[in-house]
Amino acid sequence: MNTIIVLTETPVWHQGYIKHHLRNSGINMTGSFKGNRLVINDIYEILFINPVGIYSDAEFFANCILDLTDGKCSEAVNSFIEQRIHCNYFLFTEIDELIRLLRG
């Protein structure tokens, strides 16, 4: 499964936005009620993370990252992200690009 990390201060809102735009398109979606995880067609796993609240020992592995924080993360948070999120590449700059990928 391909993991995509979406860095956002409003994880529930962005999960709802993606669900709304993929509804009725024959795409199978499952997710958590907390708004922090969404699985699309058992191909993509999207993790919605508020960067301000990820101080833990957890490490994240992702195929790509979508950063919707507009650079609002503090330097300490950015440093944590660099150390704890292992990513092959930064792919997306806006949420609509991600929606286009998920639609196939």
Side-chain angles (χ1 to χ4, degrees):
M1 191 171 312
N2 298 299
T3 300
I4 300 167
I5 290 178
V6 176
L7 299 174
T8 172
E9 295 172 295
T10 56
V12 175
W13 189 90
H14 280 106
Q15 184 187 47
Y17 183 86
I18 289 174
K19 282 179 163 178
H20 173 76
H21 285 279
L22 295 179
R23 187 175 298 133
N24 300 325
S25 60
I27 293 174
N28 181 31
M29 294 181 281
T30 58
S32 72
F33 291 108
K34 293 180 182 178
N36 59 357
R37 183 173 183 267
L38 186 62
V39 176
I40 309 291
N41 285 341
D42 292 324
I43 298 172
Y44 299 102
E45 173 190 43
I46 306 171
L47 302 177
F48 299 85
I49 298 173
N50 185 337
V52 176
I54 61 172
Y55 288 100
S56 68
D57 291 333
E59 292 194 43
F60 301 95
F61 297 86
N63 297 94
C64 54
I65 295 176
L66 168 60
D67 188 351
L68 300 173
T69 62
D70 295 324
K72 294 177 186 171
C73 298
S74 70
E75 195 170 311
V77 172
N78 284 329
S79 175
F80 180 86
I81 291 169
E82 288 173 13
Q83 294 172 20
R84 298 288 183 169
I85 296 181
H86 307 283
C87 180
N88 294 334
Y89 50 89
F90 290 79
L91 178 61
F92 302 110
T93 56
E94 61 179 54
I95 195 163
D96 292 327
E97 288 179 281
L98 176 58
I99 290 170
R100 282 192 290 277
L101 170 80
L102 298 174
R103 282 188 178 144

